[in-house]
Amino acid sequence: MTSGGAWRAVAVGHRRTEGEPPYERGPRPGEPLARRGGFAVHGAVGSVRATDGGRTLWTRSFAGRPHAAHLSGGRVLVTTDSLEYTPWGHLGPALLLDLADGRLVATLRGATGAALGGGRFLLGLEGYDVFETVAYDRDGTETDRWASYGHYVVGTGVRVVEADRRTPTSNRVVRLLPGGVVTPGPKLSDSLPPEPVVLPDGTLLVLDGGAIHAVGRGLDRTVLAELRPHEDARAIRTLRRDGDRLVAVIAEPRAAGTARWTVDTWTFRLTSRGAGS
């Protein structure tokens, strides 16, 4: 049994197989990009469509492929891929739309988004010497900017599990404050960490290298579970929570130029110290 602050993890299983790495995938076919009650935003090549109770409210056409949508107030932010190669690779425009009728409010640039309150959003971009997060209001006007990018966790403020894709990496878990201030937290060893797990009390579980770390709201870090030494920079990792189970996967290529991967999967029973078990 291992513990991290208010949480502890009890190992219940480990298996090693050969197979495909655990790529982080988007919505399954037919699954909406975003949902709020009976309202949903669906994506297809060349369009996004809003429905309410299964009834189509509006459709917005554009040249590209939507891959994520975020809802806030009366707005929806849709990030897209370009169907053609551009100076930014296959990055497409980020579309800020009116939720009522699909009207285009603003065309922005960014790869990863997150919803704030009141129709406001974060939009991040990394690559080509850019590593930034920009805040926009409901009209698409920039209101703040930070030198940070990665997985966004919005709650009592904004935390970021950074992903700079650089070797050596400068990644940390950080907090974004008004005025472009970035408060640094614990360092990370991986240049492209997987999406963190967010627990009910705001604790972040971050799979970094060969360990699962628990990072609190104050950016304090403890080790929740040690997995195994991890040295291959090509490894692909995921971390997910299924009920009271925490599942960590690390896949490493067996040899250069092959499609054979060794996939290790660890399962833990996750409990709160206050639960008494």
Side-chain angles (χ1 to χ4, degrees):
M1 180 176 66
T2 55
S3 64
W7 298 87
R8 55 188 172 186
V10 178
V12 297
H14 169 254
R15 69 178 186 274
R16 172 170 289 182
T17 60
E18 276 193 26
E20 291 188 355
Y23 297 113
E24 291 182 341
R25 296 181 171 88
R28 296 183 179 92
E31 184 179 355
L33 299 174
R35 184 188 295 277
R36 180 196 292 165
F39 183 91
V41 177
H42 303 263
V45 175
S47 69
V48 288
R49 177 173 56 93
T51 63
D52 190 357
R55 179 175 61 91
T56 297
L57 302 178
W58 51 261
T59 300
R60 162 64 59 175
S61 298
F62 65 97
R65 179 187 294 107
H67 60 76
H70 308 275
L71 302 173
S72 177
R75 298 286 189 261
V76 55
L77 177 69
V78 181
T79 50
T80 73
D81 296 323
S82 171
L83 299 179
E84 298 181 355
Y85 194 79
T86 73
W88 279 90
H90 287 284
L91 178 71
L95 308 175
L96 182 61
L97 307 177
D98 188 284
L99 208 55
D101 56 13
R103 172 179 59 88
L104 179 64
V105 177
T107 300
L108 308 171
R109 187 178 71 178
T112 305
L116 304 174
R120 300 173 299 121
F121 298 91
L122 297 176
L123 191 56
L125 189 61
E126 177 274 329
Y128 300 97
D129 295 324
V130 175
F131 187 70
E132 66 181 17
T133 296
V134 181
Y136 293 97
D137 67 14
R138 60 182 291 107
D139 298 319
T141 301
E142 179 180 329
T143 59
D144 215 334
R145 180 182 294 261
W146 299 268
S148 181
Y149 170 86
H151 301 290
Y152 302 113
V153 180
V154 179
T156 52
V158 179
R159 285 171 290 171
V160 185
V161 178
E162 293 184 324
D164 61 10
R165 295 194 300 174
R166 297 173 184 168
T167 303
T169 183
S170 298
N171 285 340
R172 292 177 178 267
V173 181
V174 304
R175 181 176 290 278
L176 306 185
L177 298 178
V181 175
V182 178
T183 300
K187 292 182 178 180
L188 302 176
S189 62
D190 288 337
S191 66
L192 192 60
E195 185 173 352
V197 169
V198 185
L199 299 180
D201 66 350
T203 298
L204 305 184
L205 301 185
V206 180
L207 176 54
D208 182 47
I212 302 172
H213 302 265
V215 182
R217 293 184 184 274
L219 303 182
D220 50 297
R221 171 168 65 177
T222 55
V223 176
L224 182 71
E226 294 277 5
L227 306 180
R228 64 175 173 81
H230 163 66
E231 298 178 354
D232 195 326
R234 300 169 297 170
I236 296 175
R237 302 159 307 284
T238 61
L239 185 66
R240 70 177 188 275
R241 185 184 183 193
D242 293 328
D244 68 343
R245 294 296 191 264
L246 184 67
V247 181
V249 183
I250 299 179
E252 294 180 323
R254 296 198 60 180
T258 72
R260 301 174 65 189
W261 293 71
T262 298
V263 182
D264 283 290
T265 303
W266 292 265
T267 303
F268 298 88
R269 181 165 58 88
L270 184 66
T271 60
S272 169
R273 286 184 175 276
S277 61

